[in-house]
């Protein structure tokens, strides 16, 4: 069974969330299902039968950090997961590897599961192992930091929202490389242009434990099909 995570990004509204929840509550999934809506919609998920996560948080518990979300508060309102260091956070909001590592620690301190995102952009496709190693440097230099079995999501930036997916062999090579760096305790997710047609194939690849899904998670019927897949 896999871990299937929906990242709605900055999409959706209260009516959309209510309809989505109704449709997905009717799904029968043996997978671990996590939905990460925009933070203002988290409260609508009180009667959701699967897990809920946040798309981001700050690395401090509370204080004068206007506009940020506290990991403690996210846990208190029911989040079990937090996406950390998504490529959009890295590129648009200039998040650094150092900050991302601190956020990971803050999420773990609240007994939630961080989903730490890594992945190269198009120019670095041939240099991806170096990019990934650099993005993971704080984790690799702090042995024990991954003991609480976090998730890591490999999302090639060139594959997000483009319909482009690495070949099956490429996925296995990348995931073997990441597995070798991070070990057996962590869960490794693939993200980037996943849909109901390719989800099962991607999840069947060695070392792929789950999926992080953007666009296709905004179509409840398609997301339902993905999470109901039994052959993972
Ligand atoms: P898409 O599934 O829309 O390509 O987005 C992937 C992603 O960024 C999920 O975090």
């Amino acid at each position: 069974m896999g871990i299937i995570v929906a990242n709605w990004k900055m999409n959706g509204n209260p009516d959309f969330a209510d309809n989505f929840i109704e449709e997905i509550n009717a799904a029968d999934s043996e997978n671990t299902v996590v939905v990460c809506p925009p933070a203002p919609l988290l409260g609508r998920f009180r009667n959701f039968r699967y897990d809920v996560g946040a798309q981001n948080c700050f690395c401090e518990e509370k204080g004068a950090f206007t506009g940020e979300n506290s990991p403690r508060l996210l846990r208190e309102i029911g989040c079990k997961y937090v996406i950390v260091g998504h490529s959009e956070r890295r590129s648009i909001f200039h998040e650094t590897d150092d900050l991302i590592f601190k956020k990971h620690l803050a999420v773990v301190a609240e007994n939630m599961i961080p989903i730490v995102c890594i992945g190269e952009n198009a120019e670095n496709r041939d240099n991806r192992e170096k990019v990934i190693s650099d993005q993971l440097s704080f984790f690799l230099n702090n042995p024990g930091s991954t003991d609480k079995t976090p998730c890591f999501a490999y999302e090639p930036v060139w594959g997000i929202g483009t319909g482009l997916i690495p070949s099956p062999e490429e996925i296995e090579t990348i995931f073997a490389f990441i597995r070798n760096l991070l070990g057996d305790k962590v869960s490794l997710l693939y993200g980037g242009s996943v849909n109901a047609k390719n989800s099962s194939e991607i999840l069947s690849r060695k070392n792929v434990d789950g999926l992080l899904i953007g666009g296709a998670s905004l179509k409840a019927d398609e997301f339902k099909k993905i999470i109901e897949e039994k052959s993972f």
Side-chain angles (χ1 to χ4, degrees), residues 7 9 83 86 88 155 159-162 191-194 212-216:
N7 175 12
K9 309 193 180 185
I83 299 172
H86 191 278
E88 288 145 22
E155 300 200 296
I160 295 178
T162 58
S193 299
V194 176
L212 179 53
I213 307 176

Side-chain angles (χ1 to χ4, degrees), residues 9-10 86-96 157:
K9 309 193 180 185
M10 204 173 72
H86 191 278
S87 65
E88 288 145 22
R89 302 287 324 165
R90 291 175 186 266
S91 64
I92 304 169
F93 303 100
H94 311 294
E95 291 198 3
T96 61
V157 177

